[in-house]
Amino acid sequence: MKLTPIRLKRINSGIDFENAIEILGISKSMLYKIETEKRSPSKDIIFKMSKLYKCSTDEIFKALKINEKVYKEDN
C-alpha cells in the first residue's frame, strides 16, 4: 500500500491498522479507502483521527488534502 500522508500519521503515532479501525469505529475497508485517498472521512472521523494521532484537525485536513473551509461548507 502506498504511504500516503494520513497513513504516515497513523504509523508515526504507533497505531496499527487493527487498533485504528477499532478506536475509530469504522470498517477495515473504510480506513483503507481513507488511507488510499479514495474516500474522505466524516467530520466525526476527522476529529477522532486528530485525537488518536495526537495532532490538530488542521493537520488531518492537510494530510487528507482536503480544503477545510470547502469541506465545512459541503458537509
Side-chain angles (χ1 to χ4, degrees):
M1 184 189 313
K2 178 180 162 186
L3 286 177
T4 59
I6 195 66
R7 184 167 187 235
L8 285 173
K9 282 243 177 254
R10 176 178 57 77
I11 292 168
N12 290 337
S13 297
I15 309 294
D16 69 23
F17 191 85
E18 293 296 323
N19 285 337
I21 62 171
E22 184 177 323
I23 294 166
L24 295 172
I26 58 177
S27 67
K28 290 179 184 182
S29 64
M30 175 59 89
L31 185 56
Y32 176 81
K33 288 175 184 175
I34 292 169
E35 288 191 348
T36 57
E37 301 173 341
K38 294 179 180 168
R39 179 122 190 224
S40 294
S42 68
K43 292 177 191 177
D44 183 51
I45 298 301
I46 290 172
F47 181 75
K48 287 180 180 180
M49 285 178 153
S50 72
K51 296 297 181 196
L52 181 61
Y53 303 163
K54 297 178 175 77
C55 63
S56 68
T57 54
D58 289 340
E59 290 176 85
I60 299 294
F61 277 105
K62 185 177 178 182
L64 292 168
K65 301 175 187 156
I66 297 173
N67 181 316
E68 185 175 4
K69 183 180 179 194
V70 171
Y71 191 80
K72 285 181 179 177
E73 291 170 1
D74 288 346
N75 291 301

